[in-house]
Structure formats: structure tokens, C-alpha cells
Amino acid sequence: NAGVTQTPKFQVLKTGQSMTLQCAQDMNHEYMSWYRQDPGMGLRLIHYSVGAGITDQGEVPNGYNVSRSTTEDFPLRLLSAAPSQTSVYFCASRDRGATNEKLFFGSGTQLSVL
Amino acid sequence: AQSVTQLGSHVSVSEGALVLLRCNYSSSVPPYLFWYVQYPNQGLQLLLKYTSAATLVKGINGFEAEFKKSETSFHLTKPSAHMSDAAEYFCAVTKNQAGTALIFGKGTTLSVSS
């Protein structure tokens, strides 16, 4: 199993450009989530999903869109990139199971918006 | 809404000294708590997680945490620090009763000196 795969690993955008951060998992996990990590701010939840066709907003959803058409994929879209979206982005997934099932994290995408 | 407060953004200890990283939580539902560790330039790794079966939880690398409901705390400890423990540590609480995503604290950077 590959686990949680994020692409690309690095990306540089210009202000106003759009792009999609890809996230795929091969563990048949129903729960998936996106976080951004900024120095001194920890990880903040952007959006999450409890299954195909079902998504919800997290702590910092503005400027980001998500959709979940399959169990495996949970892409994060930046519609019009802003310098404030410069960050490291992590995708995570977990099995439905018990409430304290652990999250499996991807290796992250480092995004710079100029 | 669920939240986590980590007291002290930076903790410095000498090798062999006690490590104490503080975490307090706020939760409107029975909380499930986690500690994650991030070594430099790496992803997040689960250190330990709270289970309702025991208030004292043992994790990897000699770390443990005690859940104290009366104090709404889940502090992380290790009796004797090692140089390899230098990393950033994150406390997290489940966002809801199903545990579909996590809410993280801002993190504590642990430095270990010889």
C-alpha cells in the first residue's frame, strides 16, 4: 500500500493563478481531511470529508474548494491564489472505526504564492 | 467548538532531564486526544492517543501522557530526554464525536542540549 499520496511536493504560483493539490489514498478510508501548516500556527483544518459526495468546512476554509467524487481522491482547489496561502499543505485519511482511530498523513505539498 | 492550547511554544531541556509539554483542551463532546511529533523536514507521526480505557497512556520512544478531565489537560512527559527527541510536538483533539478530523494546537518545539 502506498498510503496517502500528495502531489505535487513543491509548487510556486503567481497571485491570482489557480491550481489543484491532489490527494489520493489506497486504504479505502472514508474520512479525509486537509490541513495547512504555518510557523507558530500549528496545523489548521481547511476542509474535511466523511465519504464520497460529502464535504464540510474546517477552521480556515476561505479561498479553498474541495469535492469528493470517489473514496480514494480528495483534491484541494485554490481558485485564485494569494500570498497568504503560502504554506505547507497536508492531506490525511482515517478509517471510520473508533473515534480515536489515528490519522494517516501524506508527505505534504509546499506551496509558495508570489 | 473544540480547541487545544499548548502552553509554551518552545521548551528547552538538557539531555537526561524530564520533558514536560503542556496541553489543555476545550471540547463540547467527550474528547479524544492525541500527541503527534514532527521531526525536522518530515511529516507527522503519531506519538500516542488517549483511549477511554486508561487515563495514563504510553506511547512510542518512552513518552507518556495523562488525561485529567478535571483539569482538561493531556500533558506529555518523558522521564529522560534524548538528543533525538528534538522536534515539534502537536497536541490534537477530535473535531466531533465521530472523530472525522482533528483540531491541532499551535505546537511546541522541544530543544535538547548536551
Side-chain angles (χ1 to χ4, degrees):
Chain A
N1 288 350
V4 179
T5 303
Q6 289 185 239
T7 56
K9 292 191 183 303
F10 302 95
Q11 183 71 49
V12 179
L13 292 178
K14 294 181 179 179
T15 298
Q17 286 184 315
S18 63
M19 81 158 295
T20 299
L21 278 62
Q22 302 291 344
C23 176
Q25 52 90 9
D26 61 358
M27 297 172 282
N28 202 32
H29 287 169
E30 295 198 46
Y31 297 167
M32 297 186 74
S33 47
W34 275 103
Y35 302 84
R36 59 177 289 174
Q37 183 178 16
D38 302 290
M41 299 299 293
L43 283 86
R44 290 180 289 173
L45 178 65
I46 306 172
H47 286 283
Y48 63 101
S49 170
V50 299
I54 307 171
T55 63
D56 206 347
Q57 296 182 349
E59 302 170 279
V60 288
N62 292 343
Y64 306 95
N65 276 5
V66 292
S67 60
R68 185 100 178 267
S69 56
T70 67
T71 299
E72 295 77 19
D73 300 299
F74 190 41
L76 179 71
R77 297 183 186 84
L78 282 70
L79 302 177
S80 178
S84 61
Q85 294 179 304
T86 293
S87 186
V88 180
Y89 292 85
F90 288 99
C91 178
S93 74
R94 55 151 283 187
D95 196 12
R96 175 183 287 271
T99 303
N100 63 347
E101 289 284 338
K102 80 169 197 176
L103 286 182
F104 290 79
F105 282 90
S107 57
T109 295
Q110 191 167 324
L111 176 67
S112 294
V113 183
L114 307 177
Chain B
Q2 272 66 281
S3 68
V4 170
T5 301
Q6 292 185 240
L7 299 174
S9 59
H10 199 155
V11 171
S12 297
V13 300
S14 300
E15 196 171 19
L18 171 72
V19 175
L20 171 61
L21 305 183
R22 299 177 187 275
C23 171
N24 288 89
Y25 69 89
S26 173
S27 179
S28 55
V29 297
Y32 283 86
L33 296 145
F34 303 76
W35 277 97
Y36 280 84
V37 59
Q38 186 178 38
Y39 297 103
N41 300 314
Q42 293 188 27
L44 286 96
Q45 179 180 357
L46 179 67
L47 204 53
L48 53 81
K49 62 180 182 179
Y50 168 66
T51 69
S52 56
T55 56
L56 183 63
V57 182
K58 294 189 183 300
I60 62 172
N61 302 335
F63 284 92
E64 60 184 34
E66 186 172 9
F67 174 70
K68 292 186 176 181
K69 186 177 179 180
S70 60
E71 298 178 9
T72 61
S73 69
F74 192 57
H75 300 332
L76 182 71
T77 60
K78 182 174 181 178
S80 177
H82 192 273
M83 297 291 285
S84 61
D85 294 327
E88 190 162 20
Y89 292 80
F90 296 96
C91 182
V93 66
T94 44
K95 176 175 171 51
N96 48 38
Q97 199 149 5
T100 52
L102 295 181
I103 302 299
F104 285 85
K106 293 185 177 181
T108 297
T109 299
L110 175 67
S111 299
V112 183
S113 59
S114 57

